[in-house]
Amino acid sequence: MPFLYFARHGQTIWNAENKICGSTDIDLTELGHKQAIELGKKIKSDNLKIDEILCSPLRRAADTAKHIHEQTGIPLTVEPSLTEQSFGKYESTPRDNPDFFAARERFIDSYDGGETMLHLAQRIYNLLDRLKATDKTFLLVAHGGIARVVHSYFYDMTNEEYGMFKLGNCEILKYEFTD
């Protein structure tokens, strides 16, 4: 069975300021660009067998994926379904806002104009089911919220584990599709 790799984008200014990015299109910082280049170099030096990179269309993930592509030569495709969840009224607010944490525990909450966790999970699970049906190994380059859903596709998680799951900037995880 093929593998799936997942990498979160490099640092943004809102990451550095501990703000919620969501679907707001934020650029990478200088450090974020360096992190992405280093991740590309690591993928190449580790000789990871990846057939294709799929990335979110948001600049922070797309630029990260472009740096990886430049370092590795792996073909790159923008995948709209990897766009980060819209957190509605919470975007640009502090990440440690207790109201935001409470809202995240309600999987059908749309954050006053955002996207529910259930809709997000449907979107990502549908993508993963399509990828599983191929014989390719993909690297997904996307966002923290997407990472959480991808992880839940491969592992059982409690609501608390799901809510607390975090992936660092340019951190990469490997998953194996099974029957």
Side-chain angles (χ1 to χ4, degrees):
M1 295 297 291
F3 294 100
L4 176 84
Y5 291 91
F6 185 95
R8 185 171 171 227
H9 60 78
Q11 183 194 64
T12 69
I13 190 67
W14 281 8
N15 294 150
E17 294 174 351
N18 199 36
K19 291 182 181 178
I20 299 165
C21 295
S23 62
T24 303
D25 205 1
I26 305 295
D27 288 316
L28 294 174
T29 61
E30 185 177 328
L31 173 60
H33 286 284
K34 288 178 182 175
Q35 290 171 327
I37 291 165
E38 288 305 310
L39 178 56
K41 289 177 180 178
K42 178 176 174 28
I43 289 168
K44 186 173 182 172
S45 71
D46 288 353
N47 199 27
L48 299 184
K49 302 296 184 204
I50 298 169
D51 297 302
E52 186 175 355
I53 300 168
L54 301 179
C55 72
S56 162
L58 297 179
R59 287 188 309 260
R60 60 193 184 266
D63 288 348
T64 299
K66 286 176 193 169
H67 287 306
I68 295 168
H69 163 75
E70 290 165 356
Q71 295 298 317
T72 63
I74 299 168
L76 169 63
T77 302
V78 174
E79 174 53 59
S81 61
L82 290 173
T83 302
E84 177 63 295
Q85 180 177 8
S86 171
F87 293 113
K89 69 180 182 179
Y90 294 107
E91 294 195 14
S92 82
T93 66
R95 183 166 295 284
D96 52 6
N97 178 344
D99 292 339
F100 176 62
F101 280 114
R104 280 182 35 189
E105 292 176 4
R106 297 185 300 269
F107 288 178
I108 57 171
D109 193 325
S110 66
Y111 311 103
D112 291 336
E115 180 182 20
T116 70
M117 292 277 187
L118 292 178
H119 284 117
L120 172 68
Q122 177 185 23
R123 173 165 53 96
I124 300 304
Y125 278 29
N126 288 346
L127 171 66
L128 294 172
D129 286 344
R130 287 194 314 269
L131 299 181
K132 181 180 178 180
T134 73
D135 61 353
K136 293 172 121 183
T137 295
F138 294 90
L139 167 62
L140 306 183
V141 180
H143 311 276
I146 305 300
R148 188 175 297 114
V149 177
V150 168
H151 198 75
S152 76
Y153 182 90
F154 291 94
Y155 297 102
D156 288 340
M157 301 170 79
T158 66
N159 288 353
E160 184 176 319
E161 289 168 335
Y162 181 88
M164 298 307 293
F165 182 83
K166 291 184 169 93
L167 193 63
N169 292 114
C170 284
E171 187 176 345
I172 188 169
L173 295 176
K174 180 179 180 180
Y175 299 98
E176 184 174 4
F177 286 113
T178 58
D179 289 331

